[in-house]
Amino acid sequence: MNASNEFNKEKLLGKSFVFEALDSRAREELAEFSYVKRYDAGQKIFAMGEPGMSMMAIAEGSVRVSMMTPGDRDITLNDLQAGDVFGEIAMLDGGGRSANVDALTNCALVVLERRSFLDVLNRNPALSIRLIELLCQRVRRSDERMIEVAFMDTQVRLSKLLLRLTTTTPGSNDRPLQKLSQSQSELAGMIGNTRESVNRCLGKWQKADLIALRDGWLIIKNRERLEALADEF
């Protein structure tokens, strides 16, 4: 894990949903108080329950947010990509981290410490509004996940997950992704199900030509049909 100054931190912050609302002067001020950390693939960024005095914006790479259940089952909550932010809950309330975060790939993160961030936040109402919107998104997603696990069958949950993982950043002109590298065990963890159930569902979809499984990739061949399956609940 090495610090680096090779990034234009102001530009990177501007790519994030949270910080794009700030004018260039406010982003420049925020960037002055931030620093960059690198993590290797598989390295733990922080663990659930640890003190949290900073939040991070992803400059490069991707990270996984997860937590352990009381039965020692590892549940994946989300995979985050460049432009996403995380760690904001503990940073704002000064409490412990609410989940584990690990580097999925080699990562570069822009780190914002609590004291400096709150100073900028107090002078920028637009940033406060964006943070509220971000936290509301987190709550909505948590509620959706509880409903999915409690009431939806594997096929509906899995189709919703694949669509969510392949949807690009809101407002982006990029087309949806066509393939994913997550393993069946990882997908099962993200929907709170077993690998065997996910395997059966994917096998069924492969026969129906909705997806293809090739060289470790899950390739989406019929997005419209997956969207129809996701809306069946």
Side-chain angles (χ1 to χ4, degrees):
M1 180 174 62
N2 298 313
S4 170
N5 292 316
E6 65 187 79
F7 293 102
N8 183 329
K9 293 180 289 185
E10 180 186 344
K11 184 177 180 180
L12 291 170
L13 292 174
K15 292 181 179 180
S16 169
F17 161 78
V18 174
F19 305 112
E20 67 180 2
L22 298 176
D23 58 32
S24 59
R25 183 175 179 180
R27 283 201 299 269
E28 181 179 355
E29 181 183 8
L30 198 59
E32 288 177 357
F33 293 116
S34 69
Y35 55 94
V36 175
K37 280 189 175 181
R38 287 186 176 276
Y39 291 82
D40 296 328
Q43 189 173 1
K44 183 165 292 294
I45 298 172
F46 56 71
M48 184 174 177
E50 288 182 353
M53 300 302 291
S54 62
M55 67 182 292
M56 291 86 165
I58 304 174
E60 288 183 353
S62 58
V63 307
R64 171 158 294 168
V65 184
S66 64
M67 64 187 307
M68 296 295 294
T69 68
D72 290 333
R73 183 178 178 183
D74 190 22
I75 299 296
T76 299
L77 301 178
N78 208 356
D79 286 347
L80 303 177
Q81 313 296 328
D84 289 328
V85 299
F86 62 93
E88 73 284 349
I89 295 177
M91 190 275 295
L92 287 171
D93 69 8
R97 296 297 188 185
S98 59
N100 303 307
V101 178
D102 299 274
L104 275 180
T105 66
N106 293 340
C107 293
L109 308 178
V110 180
V111 182
L112 303 163
E113 297 291 349
R114 174 181 168 85
R115 178 182 295 180
S116 300
F117 183 82
L118 293 182
D119 285 343
V120 176
L121 186 65
N122 286 331
R123 297 191 297 273
N124 291 273
L127 181 55
S128 300
I129 292 172
R130 281 304 173 99
L131 270 176
I132 291 171
E133 291 174 355
L134 175 66
L135 294 172
C136 288
Q137 287 180 1
R138 299 278 202 260
V139 172
R140 286 180 185 275
R141 179 64 201 117
S142 178
D143 289 346
E144 289 170 1
R145 183 180 175 85
M146 286 191 292
I147 291 172
E148 290 172 6
V149 171
F151 300 109
M152 298 180 184
D153 64 23
T154 301
Q155 181 169 258
V156 176
R157 277 187 272 169
L158 188 56
S159 58
K160 285 181 176 291
L161 174 65
L162 297 187
L163 292 170
R164 188 164 60 247
L165 291 177
T166 54
T167 299
T168 55
T169 305
S172 168
N173 293 322
D174 295 337
R175 305 174 77 177
L177 302 176
Q178 294 299 312
K179 60 182 184 179
L180 296 168
S181 61
Q182 280 86 352
S183 70
Q184 293 182 20
S185 295
E186 289 171 335
L187 294 174
M190 297 179 82
I191 64 171
N193 213 316
T194 64
R195 189 198 65 80
E196 291 76 16
S197 295
V198 168
N199 178 268
R200 287 194 294 270
C201 189
L202 292 179
K204 178 181 177 181
W205 288 353
Q206 191 171 24
K207 290 179 181 178
D209 209 31
L210 272 68
I211 65 161
L213 300 172
R214 189 180 307 133
D215 300 326
W217 292 95
L218 190 159
I219 302 166
I220 294 178
K221 301 180 68 176
N222 191 332
R223 191 175 186 87
E224 290 74 19
R225 180 58 183 145
L226 281 179
E227 289 172 344
L229 289 172
D231 289 337
E232 285 186 357
F233 175 74

